[in-house]
Amino acid sequence: MKRIYLDHSATTPVRSEVAEIMYKYLTEDNFGNPTSLHWFGRKVRKGIDEAREKVAKSIGANAKEIIFTSGGTEADNMAIHGVAMANKNKGNHIITTAVEHHAVLNTVKALGKQGFTVTILPVDKYGAVRAEDVSAAITDKTILITIMHANNEVGTIMPIEEIGVIARSKGVLFHTDAVQSFGKIPVDVNKLGVDLLTISGHKIHGPKGIGALYVRRGTKWKQSLFHGGGQEGLKRAGTENVPGILALGLASELAAANLEKDNNYLKVLRDKLIKDVLEKIDQVELTGHPVQRLPNHASFTFRFIEGESMLLSLDMKGIAASSGSACTSGSLEPSHVLLAMGISHEIAHGSLRITLGIGNNNQDIEYFIKELSVIVDRLRAMSPLDPDNEFSQSSDCVSCKESGSCNNLA
Amino acid sequence: MYSEKVMDHFENPRNVGEIIDADGVGQVGNPTCGDIMKIYIKVNADIIEDIKFKTFGCGAAIATSSIITEMVKGKTLDEALSISNKQVAAALDGLPPKKMHCSNLAADAVQAAIEDYRSKSNNKS
Ligand SMILES: Cc1ncc(COP(=O)(O)O)c(C=O)c1O
Ligand code: FES
């Protein structure tokens, strides 16, 4: 069967050049421990240094400011925890938003149980935080603002530059999770005005299990999670993931080099997809910001039908997508992002996320639209809901009360 | 993640639709994930002669609705009431643990339809 991958926010296929460099650094004479003094060690150390330069260059940073990690999750944990621990004499207040990835949200919540106070800012109906709200939330105890550059579920791009200016003027450290934006829109640590920034390899056609944290020189931050050897300049203990680091270096370089071309290509495809879905299917809404959104990202809610049944049906036609429906989440709760945007449980149930990659083309979009229309019709014919008695059952919002997710509503 | 049987019932659901002059209608909502299932029954001499369903929910919810309609069709009301969610799941060659709650929905909807029928026929007599 023809297989079409439309889930690039989840992960991306590894570029063949990137796979080759990984293989190279698993084989030949490239197996040394970069800490070793001998030739084998030095050879690999050189490769790591070059990769660090490449990653730094792709985000406008200096190589000394890059720490390799096991991925976006670790980099987020390390950034937040490290600032919290290094600044706890100064203050204990952390600001974030309701739509962060769990790698940020759960780290911040964990600190909330350890004596830190956390402000989780609401977002507007597009999933964007307002810079004024960030500004108003800052107190003399605030030590960190952590806000994602672009949202993984709805593609909305946050006003990071504006928040960067505010953070700097108030002397508060600012971290952004750029896992989804890196490689799709320009990511420059100085333009964005951030002190810490997270990237991940597998979202930019690199491998899984590798990422990096940027920490601006002079930032009051300390490695506080891992205890061990002195790797990464005492900033991240543990023998380096050499093939992963080399792969991230190359993937970052290629992502930055192709940024403009890929961005333009993806935008055209995405705009066609959004236009066709909204035109050809009834009772559907775009989620996330219509303009301030990632060039490869389209997300919708379809009324009266549920996301998992859409995903299964699409998969039967060879199409891979994802959903924030309760039925697809491990917790059986709908996506916290959609709820925070003020979307009801019922509507969130019908969410579908389509994220494009450079391997997709016009035919893929056409095939997708054709199959999706059939699927939506079939599932709607099976649904007990219709515009007349829409959701009359669950108006008491039982699950919302149980989960407390109403508290998140903007 | 789903058995072949689940996928078969999801892809080719049996007895989908409505019965306009149904003798009993049951609609239940799933507090765990927010899904909704509606069952229509036609009863003759205490036997479920016809049954149809409509479901707003995941693959497991659609498959359990479909298979329960097959399981209760032609059965007496008491037989239908005795069907447990475990039996529904077993008839589908099992459900993933996280999806067991979806099978409650099917058993509950059938029960609600039978209760609706019984309360209506009590009122008549
Ligand atoms: C916004 C965001 N942050 C962090 C992560 C986690 O990155 P990783 O999978 O490398 O741990 C992801 C990946 O899903 C993400 O989308
Ligand atoms: S009915 Fe929602 S998870 Fe199955």
Side-chain angles (χ1 to χ4, degrees), chain B residues 15-55:
Chain B
N15 306 308
V16 188
E18 296 173 26
I19 301 175
I20 303 298
D21 57 343
D23 298 319
V25 180
Q27 176 166 321
V28 293
N30 193 332
T32 319
C33 61
D35 291 335
I36 296 170
M37 192 179 294
K38 198 165 182 177
I39 294 255
Y40 302 79
I41 52 172
K42 199 81 192 141
V43 182
N44 191 1
D46 225 38
I47 291 195
I48 300 182
E49 266 195 350
D50 197 10
I51 177 162
K52 290 260 192 294
F53 82 87
K54 284 205 154 184
T55 293

Side-chain angles (χ1 to χ4, degrees), chain A residues 45-58:
Chain A
R45 161 68 45 204
K46 188 161 167 284
I48 291 186
D49 289 345
E50 284 165 13
R52 199 185 307 279
E53 290 284 350
K54 287 179 181 171
V55 171
K57 197 164 164 230
S58 67

